[in-house]
């Protein structure tokens, strides 16, 4: 898409050059995004192309893009470029919360990707949530949830062992925890509770979500149980706050 943007005017005496150029460029790009010249998910021109377009150096462009990132308008991915922040997916937290089903209801395709898998011993919080003895063996998965090619959440998930010994392999191949449960004899499961809070992410979570650590995320702590009421999963999921809207169905919880 060809977008007509003008070079920033020379600074006035009241506005130092180092401030006026980057801030004016940032505002022009923000206006272009707001007017739909750059659509959600679209990649902006390269730093080199923008530097030539505005007649400034690449350092000035980097500062402009960094400002847009802090404002939640764009996200930069190493080696790929800078993209306009896309939609906010409305995900429902109800009695039966399913990642893929929730995306489908929002008209978005996506799945789960395992980042890390290992066996750990339950700490006090995990043992209490899963109604197990302290130190009981658990399958730990670090999982990235994606939708429309974008990271939506990253989660820490814990499952009792040996009941779910093969769960990691099934999730890896299917991209679905629901499918993995089904292959372990759990055809249906329910959300016992969800606790939601807002906070700043650590550097690892921010990197996985392709955002800065200064932008808040929504932390959802949850427990799932089988139809007999036995806890089968304890999870802590960090959702990208500007890409996800969480709707709680009170009539289902």
């Amino acid at each position: 898409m060809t977008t007509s943007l003008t070079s920033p005017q020379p600074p006035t005496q009241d506005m130092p050059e180092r401030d006026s150029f980057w801030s004016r460029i940032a505002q022009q790009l923000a206006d272009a995004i707001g007017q739909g010249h750059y659509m959600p998910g679209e990649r902006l021109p390269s730093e080199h192309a923008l530097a030539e377009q505005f007649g400034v150096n690449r350092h000035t462009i980097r500062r402009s893009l960094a400002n847009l990132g802090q404002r939640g308008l764009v996200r930069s991915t190493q080696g790929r470029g800078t993209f306009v922040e896309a939609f906010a997916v409305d995900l429902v937290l109800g009695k039966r919360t399913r990642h893929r089903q929730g995306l489908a209801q929002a008209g978005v395709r996506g799945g789960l990707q395992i980042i890390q898998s290992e066996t750990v011993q339950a700490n006090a919080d995990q043992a209490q949530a899963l109604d197990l003895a302290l130190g009981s063996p658990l399958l730990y998965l670090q999982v990235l949830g994606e939708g429309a090619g974008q990271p939506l959440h990253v989660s820490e998930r814990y499952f009792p062992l040996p009941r779910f010994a093969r769960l990691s392999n099934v999730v890896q191949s299917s991209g679905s925890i629901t499918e993995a449960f089904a292959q372990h004899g759990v055809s249906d499961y329910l959300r016992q509770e969800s606790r939601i809070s807002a906070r700043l992410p650590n550097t690892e979570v921010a990197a996985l979500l392709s955002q800065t650590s200064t932008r808040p995320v929504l932390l959802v702590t949850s427990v799932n149980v089988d139809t007999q009421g036995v806890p089968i999963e304890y999870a802590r999921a960090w959702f990208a706050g500007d890409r996800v809207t969480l709707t709680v169905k009170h009539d289902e919880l």
Side-chain angles (χ1 to χ4, degrees):
M1 177 180 295
T2 301
T3 303
S4 176
L5 298 173
T6 60
S7 299
Q9 296 299 311
T12 66
Q13 292 183 347
D14 296 331
M15 183 177 293
E17 179 178 358
R18 67 178 185 275
D19 291 333
S20 64
F21 276 179
W22 74 259
S23 61
R24 290 181 184 181
I25 292 170
Q27 189 56 52
Q28 284 199 44
L29 290 171
D31 291 343
I33 291 171
Q35 294 164 9
H37 295 301
Y38 296 113
M39 301 301 293
E42 182 178 350
R43 184 171 63 182
L44 295 181
S46 67
E47 290 180 1
H48 177 74
L50 288 173
E52 287 192 341
Q53 180 177 347
F54 287 106
V56 296
N57 59 44
R58 293 177 67 176
H59 175 75
T60 299
I61 294 298
R62 289 193 193 102
R63 189 169 183 183
S64 301
L65 295 177
N67 175 263
L68 294 178
Q70 292 171 354
R71 293 159 65 179
L73 295 177
V74 302
R75 60 182 174 87
S76 297
T77 303
Q78 184 69 31
R80 294 186 59 200
T82 301
F83 296 81
V84 178
E85 279 290 13
F87 53 85
V89 180
D90 191 355
L91 298 178
V92 175
L93 299 182
K95 185 165 60 175
R96 288 178 172 82
T97 298
R98 311 288 190 263
H99 176 73
R100 185 171 292 176
Q101 180 180 351
L103 290 178
Q105 291 174 347
V108 177
R109 298 180 62 183
L112 301 176
Q113 174 188 348
I114 294 179
I115 301 171
Q116 183 179 353
S117 174
E118 63 179 311
T119 299
V120 299
Q121 293 182 324
N123 64 23
D125 290 340
Q126 297 153 10
Q128 181 179 13
L130 294 170
D131 195 20
L132 298 171
L134 187 67
S136 296
L138 302 175
L139 171 65
Y140 162 71
L141 300 182
Q142 184 183 43
V143 176
L144 181 66
E146 297 179 311
Q150 296 194 74
L152 299 181
H153 64 81
V154 59
S155 59
E156 298 176 346
R157 298 169 180 262
Y158 300 89
F159 309 88
L161 291 174
R163 183 177 183 183
F164 298 108
R166 298 182 296 104
L167 189 137
S168 177
N169 292 334
V170 181
V171 175
Q172 188 66 50
S173 62
S174 68
S176 169
I177 287 179
T178 299
E179 174 64 24
F181 277 146
Q183 293 197 27
H184 285 76
V186 181
S187 59
D188 191 17
Y189 60 99
L190 309 174
R191 178 64 58 92
Q192 185 179 66
E193 68 174 23
S194 295
R195 287 175 289 163
I196 306 172
S197 60
R199 62 186 63 194
L200 294 177
N202 61 31
T203 54
E204 180 184 15
V205 169
L208 289 170
L209 292 176
S210 297
Q211 67 171 65
T212 66
S213 57
T214 58
R215 291 165 60 187
V217 295
L218 298 173
L219 173 61
V220 178
T221 303
S222 60
V223 177
N224 287 326
V225 300
D226 63 20
T227 53
Q228 284 72 49
V230 178
I232 59 173
E233 179 186 12
Y234 170 67
R236 286 160 48 89
W238 290 264
F239 288 82
D242 55 355
R243 293 177 220 145
V244 174
T245 298
L246 298 178
T247 299
V248 179
K249 291 289 189 178
H250 295 285
D251 58 338
E252 294 185 4
L253 290 176

